[in-house]
Amino acid sequence: MQFFETFKNELINTAIVLVVLLIIRSLIHFAITKIGHTSGINDARIRLIRRYITVTLFLIAILIESFIFGAQVHDLAVVFSSVFAVIGIALFAIWSILSNITSGIIMFFNFPYKVGDKIEIHDKDFPIKAIIEDIRAFQIHLRLDNGNLVTYPNNLMLQKAVTLIQKDAIDETVDDGVDAI
């Protein structure tokens, strides 16, 4: 009981922050789902972007909670600068992963090609004509005409010229199958 009496204001503020962040999360998830469905993006990519938003809001909640419970700005500055220094060094070593994740987020909101489209990637070293089989967080799965599966990094997909050869009938058969059920 002593705990609740001592931290009564902080606990009330925490409840308010959590409710507000949950409402914001729900609104953003609704908007992302709506954008994804109107753009014809598959559910796996929609869930991935929603997960990124949830993690970001969780980190924001931790930051706000630290202020509510009395952390000072200079204390948090020391902690965050140390954490970001370590993360920065680690991420510099794996910058391509960050680049691919960022490209995956960009491709979610602004990518003219969908699963099932046949595309041609104009790369002088390794030109590719394939059907997009899946779009993931780090790479795109492309199925070549000979049946081989190629994983192509998201960041290269945004850097290379890509031509839409034809729309594949996969989307139409999936829609017809759903109506039949």
Side-chain angles (χ1 to χ4, degrees):
M1 281 304 206
Q2 182 69 21
F3 176 78
F4 293 113
E5 289 177 16
T6 305
F7 293 106
K8 180 181 176 184
N9 291 335
E10 289 85 354
L11 292 174
I12 291 171
N13 290 338
T14 296
I16 292 170
V17 166
L18 291 179
V19 168
V20 168
L21 287 176
L22 285 174
I23 291 170
I24 291 171
R25 178 184 171 269
S26 297
L27 293 173
I28 291 174
H29 280 208
F30 176 76
I32 288 172
T33 303
K34 185 128 177 122
I35 290 169
H37 287 160
T38 56
S39 301
I41 296 170
N42 66 5
D43 288 335
R45 289 184 60 211
I46 292 170
R47 283 191 306 272
L48 179 70
I49 297 300
R50 287 173 36 180
R51 200 172 306 134
Y52 289 159
I53 295 298
T54 300
V55 169
T56 302
L57 288 174
F58 178 75
L59 294 174
I60 291 170
I62 290 174
L63 179 66
I64 293 171
E65 287 302 310
S66 63
F67 283 121
I68 288 174
F69 280 94
Q72 299 298 318
V73 175
H74 67 275
D75 295 336
L76 289 177
V78 170
V79 170
F80 279 112
S81 64
S82 301
V83 168
F84 284 131
V86 170
I87 290 174
I89 291 169
L91 293 179
F92 180 75
I94 54 172
W95 67 269
S96 63
I97 292 175
L98 270 182
S99 173
N100 285 321
I101 290 173
T102 305
S103 298
I105 293 170
I106 292 169
M107 289 169 52
F108 177 81
F109 291 106
N110 188 18
F111 193 60
Y113 314 109
K114 298 178 183 139
V115 172
D117 288 350
K118 186 164 188 177
I119 61 169
E120 179 178 2
I121 299 172
H122 303 281
D123 186 355
K124 68 177 185 170
D125 297 327
F126 189 62
I128 296 175
K129 282 187 184 179
I131 294 174
I132 299 176
E133 197 168 271
D134 194 9
I135 303 173
R136 300 212 171 175
F138 299 102
Q139 74 271 352
I140 295 179
H141 290 186
L142 302 171
R143 184 69 62 181
L144 300 176
D145 292 334
N146 64 7
N148 289 343
L149 180 68
V150 174
T151 58
Y152 202 76
N154 286 343
N155 61 350
L156 290 181
M157 191 71 176
L158 292 179
Q159 294 174 10
K160 304 292 180 180
V162 178
T163 302
L164 178 64
I165 295 175
Q166 68 186 32
K167 293 266 186 193
D168 197 31
I170 291 175
D171 291 333
E172 295 170 8
T173 58
V174 168
D175 290 341
D176 293 339
V178 170
D179 293 337
I181 296 174

